[in-house]
Amino acid sequence: MKRVLIRFQSYALGDTIAWFPYIEEYRKREELEKIYVSMKWAELFEENYPKIIFNPKINEEEYDIIIDLGMHIHHLQKSGLIYPSFTPLQKYASDILGFDYFTEIRPNIRVKEVYNKSNYIKSVSIGTHSTSQSKHWNNLSGWQDVVDYLLGKSYDVYCLDRYKVFGRGDMMNKIPEGVIFDSDITISKIISIMHVSDFFIGLGSGLSWLAWALGIPVILISGFSHPVTEFQSNISRVFNQDVCNSCFNKEKLDPLTWKWCPSTFKKKEMFECTKEITSNSVILEIDKYINKKWYDRQGVRFSI
């Protein structure tokens, strides 16, 4: 029996959740009894994928095939992809693994902890931080406006970020006032809180991918990436196409430069892609979901 090892070249939560389900698809297509995977975040999947052996001791000579799974140029050249591109993030995995991308696949993540929330308390979870300033919502009042609106609607708002303040140099991003925040939060608790949230509001980052994987409706705020990049199901995308946008799909990202923003080289305003996403445009999507929930309770279902 062929022994195949797949090595994740990214530690990012979003990349991992996006790419992982294609490993199981590859195993099935290749008719492998088992497949070996070296990766971070294995604890999210290991109980639900018994035919995947996670993080084995690696002696390369023991494997017939070794595949490195990542968004690096040399991997993408092997698969025929051009990077950057207007390509679904999940398609990178299927192309590198050698089969056609046909549909997005949601991984099976187990909820290990059950968060104890009263049925009478409405809750929403949010994630306001990401790995570069370009991924943040750079409307300075945006998050606070949204949280104030939700609090006014009698929602508990859980902020699932790890830090109250996060950034680099003179660009430090603070979580909004009025949220429920736990500085010692674990990934297991994040999952349990998401699981009982009515919906999640976030960026083009790992927490949004995690909420989607758990089947939680997502309101995603991003101009850094084009809407084709992230998942397409169970999502309301807030995106301003009238300003500079989608730099991730047009330029090679420099992950070591916190202020990376290609528009500045074109004499445009830095981070205008999200500065020009208004609070009201996000609140409009919130209202659509709240109204949908109200109609559902009346026994009438319709799609937003």
Side-chain angles (χ1 to χ4, degrees):
M1 178 64 70
K2 215 168 33 172
R3 288 171 61 90
V4 178
L5 171 66
I6 296 178
R7 300 184 296 197
F8 274 73
Q9 300 298 298
S10 172
Y11 295 144
L13 178 62
D15 293 346
T16 302
I17 291 172
W19 298 337
F20 180 80
Y22 293 89
I23 294 175
E24 177 67 2
E25 186 67 23
Y26 175 86
R27 186 193 66 78
K28 292 176 181 178
R29 286 170 178 258
E30 296 296 315
E31 299 181 342
L32 300 173
E33 178 61 29
K34 294 181 180 179
I35 192 167
Y36 299 83
V37 178
S38 175
M39 63 182 293
K40 191 179 180 182
W41 306 109
E43 68 271 23
L44 300 181
F45 312 106
E46 51 194 358
E47 293 187 21
N48 291 325
Y49 292 88
K51 295 188 178 182
I52 295 179
I53 309 302
F54 292 89
N55 295 323
K57 292 183 179 180
I58 296 178
N59 180 351
E60 294 187 1
E61 296 179 355
E62 295 178 358
Y63 298 97
D64 301 295
I65 298 174
I66 297 177
I67 301 173
D68 288 333
L69 195 58
M71 202 181 288
H72 303 303
I73 291 176
H74 64 282
H75 294 301
L76 301 179
Q77 286 176 338
K78 290 179 182 177
S79 65
L81 278 173
I82 299 174
Y83 175 72
S85 66
F86 289 85
T87 299
L89 185 58
Q90 288 199 321
K91 188 176 186 295
Y92 287 114
S94 62
D95 283 342
I96 291 171
L97 292 171
F99 56 87
D100 292 336
Y101 177 79
F102 53 94
T103 186
E104 65 184 27
I105 305 175
R106 203 166 69 191
N108 188 3
I109 295 177
R110 183 179 176 185
V111 181
K112 294 182 179 180
E113 296 182 22
V114 178
Y115 188 72
N116 186 17
K117 187 192 82 165
S118 167
N119 291 331
Y120 299 102
I121 298 176
K122 302 182 295 184
S123 67
V124 172
S125 50
I126 66 172
T128 71
H129 293 162
S130 192
T131 52
S132 69
Q133 193 64 43
S134 57
K135 294 184 181 182
H136 284 70
W137 184 14
N138 288 285
N139 177 335
L140 295 181
S141 67
W143 279 114
Q144 192 62 60
D145 292 342
V146 164
V147 168
D148 289 345
Y149 184 77
L150 289 167
L151 293 175
K153 292 285 186 179
S154 301
Y155 278 90
D156 281 348
V157 183
Y158 290 84
C159 182
L160 303 182
D161 295 312
R162 291 182 61 193
Y163 306 103
K164 283 189 174 182
V165 181
F166 186 71
R168 300 287 187 277
D170 60 348
M171 288 193 168
M172 302 300 291
N173 305 274
K174 298 180 180 179
I175 65 172
E177 299 291 330
V179 298
I180 301 169
F181 174 77
D182 180 358
S183 60
D184 295 321
I185 198 164
T186 63
I187 190 67
S188 182
K189 188 171 182 181
I190 286 173
I191 290 171
S192 68
I193 292 173
M194 279 185 173
H195 190 62
V196 295
S197 297
D198 283 2
F199 52 95
F200 175 81
I201 309 173
L203 313 170
S205 63
L207 289 181
S208 293
W209 280 94
L210 180 59
W212 167 78
L214 293 169
I216 308 304
V218 175
I219 297 174
L220 196 154
I221 306 163
S222 179
F224 162 82
S225 57
H226 189 273
V228 72
T229 310
E230 287 86 16
F231 47 90
Q232 303 297 303
S233 60
N234 215 18
I235 182 176
S236 295
R237 181 65 179 253
V238 188
F239 179 81
N240 189 338
Q241 62 183 356
D242 296 326
V243 296
C244 182
N245 63 74
S246 307
C247 52
F248 174 75
N249 306 88
K250 301 172 185 176
E251 309 279 350
K252 184 178 182 296
L253 171 67
D254 179 2
L256 300 180
T257 301
W258 181 260
K259 294 183 180 181
W260 181 80
C261 178
S263 72
T264 58
F265 299 113
K266 303 171 186 176
K267 307 302 181 184
K268 296 181 180 179
E269 184 180 3
M270 181 179 280
F271 309 130
E272 69 175 5
C273 59
T274 53
K275 283 181 179 178
E276 298 301 324
I277 292 177
T278 66
S279 307
N280 285 338
S281 63
V282 178
I283 289 170
L284 177 63
E285 298 305 316
I286 291 171
D287 278 343
K288 287 180 182 179
Y289 185 76
I290 291 174
N291 291 336
K292 177 183 182 299
K293 290 285 287 185
W294 185 88
Y295 276 102
D296 284 351
R297 287 195 293 270
Q298 312 310 308
V300 179
R301 304 190 67 84
F302 69 101
S303 172
I304 62 173

